[in-house]
Amino acid sequence: MRVLVAVKRTADANVAIRVKADGSGVDLANVKMSMNPFDEIAVEEAVRLKEAGVATEVVAISCGVAQCQETIRAAMAIGADRGILVETDAELHPLAVAKLLKALCEKETPQVVILGKQAIDDDCNQTGQMLAALLDWPQATFASKLVVEAGKALVAREIDGGLETLEMSLPAVVTTDLRLNEPRYATLPNIMKAKKKPLETVKPADLGVDVAPRLAMLQVAEPPRRGAGLRVADVAQLVDKLKNEAKVI
């Protein structure tokens, strides 16, 4: 069974993000880039399926600029067998990525596609759902547990009232939540081995996909700074300020 994992190159989660002075976007100059944390969880889960004998091959896929090769190599260091980079300098929106992944799914014929539930840069939380719709495959989002056996996938996911367990026939699309697993650290030997694993590069035109953006970002702004707190003398003063200044009661 082949498992496809989508990985995205994003700003490192520990980096303080700065907005450009003209409000046109986020300043990524000299910013450390890493694999999206939710995608690390997806790679880890795919590798665990392989280690359990359920999957025979794990393929890491990334869409974007040439530097995304580093992200794919990081997935290979965790345990992916090979990688595919859809190289483009165009700004990719979730629908374009979903169409690219659909074309690769038709080519690679996986039984399971695992994605992070969202990327920490745009927080769209759309690609997995769009991919499942385009492929007309069953989907389970926000997975906190995944079991694949006998041609079916059992997925536990957190909902407001507790846990919900879904059973899906394969092939299927799964998006990962934080509680699914704890990604391993890539060891130095595995990092060296990843450099020799096959990595294929294709263009969107090779897949017959138009990635022209259909949305325009008008402005990016930092959230307003939070005001300083205020210490009150007693409960009466607190109630007065809540009533007359904050106007919340």
Side-chain angles (χ1 to χ4, degrees), residues 3 34 43 50 57 63 81 90 162 167 174 187 225:
V3 178
S34 302
V43 174
K50 183 184 176 184
E57 185 181 37
C63 306
D81 298 293
E167 181 181 87
V174 177
T187 62
R225 293 188 178 277

Side-chain angles (χ1 to χ4, degrees), residues 219-245:
Q219 186 180 12
V220 177
E222 294 185 2
R225 293 188 178 277
R226 191 172 180 178
L230 179 67
R231 179 175 293 181
V232 296
D234 51 33
V235 174
Q237 186 181 3
L238 172 63
V239 172
D240 177 68
K241 288 188 176 296
L242 290 175
K243 182 176 180 180
N244 298 316
E245 295 185 17

Side-chain angles (χ1 to χ4, degrees), residues 89-113:
D89 292 328
E91 180 184 359
L92 294 175
H93 292 162
L95 181 58
V97 176
K99 289 180 177 179
L100 293 171
L101 293 176
K102 173 181 180 288
L104 290 173
C105 286
E106 292 172 346
K107 176 183 176 183
E108 298 287 337
T109 62
Q111 290 298 100
V112 179
V113 180

Side-chain angles (χ1 to χ4, degrees), residues 8 23 88 101 129 141 145 160 164 183 189 214 232 238:
K8 185 176 184 180
T88 176
L101 293 176
Q129 294 88 328
T141 57
K145 184 178 180 181
D160 291 341
E164 176 184 59
R214 290 167 169 77
V232 296
L238 172 63

